Amino acid sequence: MVATDKDIERDRYERRAAAALEDVKALPVLGAAGIEAEWRRPYVRFEELVRGLVRPEDSVLDLCCGDGQFSFVAAESGARITGLDVSAASLALAGRRCPEELHARTDWREGDCEQLPFETNTFDGVVCAGGLSYGEWIPVLDELSRVLRPGGWFVAVDSYNHNPVYRLNRWWHQVRGRRTVSVNRRIPSRRWLALARGRFSRVEVDYFGVFAFCAPLLRCLAGPARRARWLDSWDTCACTPREWAFKIVVNARL
């Protein structure tokens, strides 16, 4: 049987997580603190939004949670977290990375983001860090709005697909077998945002990293912290074409 793009991506993450599970030292820092300084700001914003929305005992779904890098932000604020992913090994790694004091507030479920294994109106909120391109847009958005309770919220950080430099780089990763055609095609764009606005009553978007591709060129001039400050400040310039962002952070309400 011919492997689908979804099979290829699942196997890729299975192998990566399995290797990490064999190495007890291969547990990088959780959350935004584990992201390199030049690309950290959208993840910081993502965490700020989640912490501001979560109420004690909320039920929150981490969609395409992977190895749990961002699964514990809401749990630290008192929510009960369900992490969902198609990769069983990634879920096992997420469980290992879970801080001991949060074990009682976390649950891990193997499943497909296009067909969520949950009842309607199950969750108060949904978070997603980098997973929106792993399912077809319409089924995923329909499932999100189905499992959220009335007035529920959705916060995501992901790539954006209008900067020609980043599009070329993603195509090159596809040529080298590091991405599949489907994942590249489904990276969020203006069309994805339009579809989201058709399902949520409010959708707010922050744009980051228009000039993040300059980071390697700046390494001879400054250290990571200063490079990050430069790149973050350029994002706020009035002349910066925000539609060319590297990352977006989405804050939506039903």
Side-chain angles (χ1 to χ4, degrees), residues 32 35 39-47 70 157 247:
I35 303 297
W39 297 282
R40 185 176 300 159
R41 182 57 191 150
Y43 298 94
V44 171
R45 176 58 176 160
F46 168 81
E47 292 184 346
F70 292 93
V157 56
K247 298 286 182 180

Side-chain angles (χ1 to χ4, degrees), residues 184-197:
N184 268 352
R185 173 175 55 82
R186 295 188 299 237
I187 290 173
S189 64
R190 285 187 291 266
R191 182 169 172 265
W192 183 93
L193 290 173
L195 290 170
R197 289 188 171 104

Side-chain angles (χ1 to χ4, degrees), residues 33-231:
I35 303 297
E36 291 186 54
E38 294 96 328
W39 297 282
R40 185 176 300 159
R41 182 57 191 150
Y43 298 94
V44 171
R45 176 58 176 160
F46 168 81
E47 292 184 346
E48 290 171 347
L49 288 170
V50 173
R51 291 190 179 103
L53 287 165
V54 167
R55 298 166 299 181
E57 300 306 319
D58 270 359
S59 182
V60 176
L61 171 65
D62 185 0
L63 186 72
C64 301
C65 67
D67 63 7
Q69 178 77 20
F70 292 93
S71 296
F72 310 109
V73 178
E76 290 169 348
S77 299
R80 290 172 286 107
I81 304 300
T82 299
L84 178 130
D85 203 271
V86 295
S87 167
S90 293
L91 293 172
L93 182 56
R96 177 182 289 183
R97 300 180 77 185
C98 181
E100 185 175 353
E101 66 274 15
L102 298 179
H103 275 294
R105 312 192 69 81
T106 56
D107 183 33
W108 310 105
R109 296 283 298 275
E110 188 175 347
D112 191 328
C113 59
E114 295 178 349
Q115 295 179 310
L116 297 178
F118 308 110
E119 298 293 331
T120 299
N121 299 339
T122 296
F123 297 101
D124 300 291
V126 176
V127 299
C128 184
L132 294 176
S133 59
Y134 291 102
E136 294 294 338
W137 290 347
I138 290 176
V140 172
L141 286 168
D142 285 346
E143 283 291 89
L144 285 179
S145 57
R146 180 184 67 80
V147 301
L148 277 170
R149 292 170 180 152
W153 51 268
F154 170 56
V155 177
V157 56
D158 217 310
S159 299
Y160 198 54
N161 208 27
H162 295 289
N163 187 316
V165 176
Y166 300 131
R167 295 187 71 168
L168 178 62
N169 182 62
R170 290 163 188 149
W171 171 81
W172 180 239
H173 280 290
Q174 176 185 313
V175 169
R176 300 181 68 184
R178 296 178 179 176
R179 288 177 179 266
T180 58
V181 174
S182 295
V183 165
N184 268 352
R185 173 175 55 82
R186 295 188 299 237
I187 290 173
S189 64
R190 285 187 291 266
R191 182 169 172 265
W192 183 93
L193 290 173
L195 290 170
R197 289 188 171 104
R199 288 159 176 80
F200 292 89
S201 63
R202 188 188 74 195
V203 176
E204 298 174 352
V205 186
D206 294 319
Y207 298 83
F208 298 90
V210 171
F211 300 104
F213 63 87
C214 296
L217 305 177
L218 298 174
R219 286 174 182 165
C220 62
L221 302 176
R226 180 173 292 182
R227 293 198 302 267
R229 287 196 297 271
W230 289 347
L231 293 170

